[in-house]
Amino acid sequence: MRRIIVAAFTSLDGVMQAPGGPDEDRSGGFAYGGWVAPHFDETVGEAMGELFSRPFELLLGRRTYDIFAAHWPRVPDDNPDADIAALFNGITKHVATHRPDSLDWQNSQALGEDVIASLRVLKQGDGPDLLTEGSSDLVQQLLAADLVDELRVLVFPVVLGRGKRLFGQDAAPAGLMLRKSVTSPSGVVIANYERAGEVRTGSFALEEPTKP
């Protein structure tokens, strides 16, 4: 059975919109694109390298797909990002889109009209993990459908106030287990969580003393 891993850069208040650059996604009047770059240190780079070190296929929403497709195939061989470009170009990309005929990036395929149903089938098959990058709308659908097996969240020391968020109002309740965490020198908290059953509850209320 395949796993779905959500990897996300988020602000302290949960915003994940346009981490990579000013013009990445200005929808909704978002004015803080590129908020990740000032904090991207060696520890963050190592965390991303670890994420991409195991076999995976990409699971992308249409906006993120278009951003990636416009960038990674054009990275030259002498660029520092040439290795990750070759990796992204070569692997399969599963895309949530209403325009399947316009998926021009090599090894890209549409998830069809019912994205969640298609992913349930994909998860039951053999193959590498399915890894999201960006794709906030798709990620919220996955969380609402309780399809996420692991969350790899990098929380950056900024508060953005508005923008597209990792969690929506309809995320399915779930218990999680912290598998690994580290804080980078620039203050990024890197945490890996895996599903751990249902939400557990309890109480701090003191029991009333038994009367004699």
Side-chain angles (χ1 to χ4, degrees):
M1 184 173 178
R2 306 172 75 170
R3 298 187 311 149
I4 291 180
I5 299 174
V6 167
F9 297 146
T10 78
S11 64
L12 191 59
D13 56 335
V15 175
M16 58 184 295
Q17 185 170 350
D23 296 319
E24 183 177 341
D25 181 4
R26 291 185 178 273
S27 62
F30 190 72
Y32 299 106
W35 48 271
V36 159
H39 307 281
F40 201 99
D41 56 27
E42 184 176 348
T43 301
V44 175
E46 289 174 353
M48 298 309 296
E50 179 184 352
L51 178 65
F52 299 142
S53 66
R54 296 162 50 185
F56 69 93
E57 295 175 353
L58 283 173
L59 181 56
L60 302 173
R62 184 63 202 231
R63 182 183 290 273
T64 299
Y65 172 85
D66 287 341
I67 293 169
F68 280 17
H71 173 71
W72 292 112
R74 295 170 174 77
V75 174
D77 292 341
D78 59 351
N79 188 282
D81 292 331
D83 288 344
I84 188 64
L87 177 62
F88 278 14
N89 289 332
I91 62 176
T92 300
K93 279 75 68 174
H94 303 275
V95 188
T97 179
H98 297 295
R99 297 177 284 119
D101 294 340
S102 60
L103 298 179
D104 298 327
W105 191 10
Q106 65 189 77
N107 302 320
S108 298
Q109 54 191 46
L111 285 167
E113 293 185 3
D114 191 333
V115 170
I116 297 303
S118 296
L119 287 173
R120 292 191 193 280
V121 173
L122 271 177
K123 285 194 69 174
Q124 294 300 320
D126 295 327
D129 291 336
L130 301 167
L131 175 67
T132 71
E133 287 286 307
S135 309
S136 58
D137 290 343
L138 175 60
V139 166
Q140 289 197 4
Q141 292 182 56
L142 298 176
L143 291 166
D146 200 16
L147 287 177
V148 176
D149 300 288
E150 183 176 347
L151 284 160
R152 297 195 178 191
V153 185
L154 290 80
V155 182
F156 286 71
V158 293
V159 173
L160 299 174
R162 59 181 298 182
K164 299 175 182 178
R165 298 179 182 272
L166 175 58
F167 293 100
Q169 294 291 329
D170 55 354
L176 299 170
M177 178 179 294
L178 180 64
R179 289 297 188 186
K180 181 179 179 181
S181 67
V182 65
T183 302
S184 81
S186 66
V188 180
V189 177
I190 304 165
N192 296 2
Y193 294 93
E194 292 183 358
R195 279 298 309 269
E198 304 300 319
V199 175
R200 296 184 297 169
T201 63
S203 173
F204 289 110
L206 297 177
E207 295 183 3
E208 294 184 6
T210 304
K211 294 181 180 181

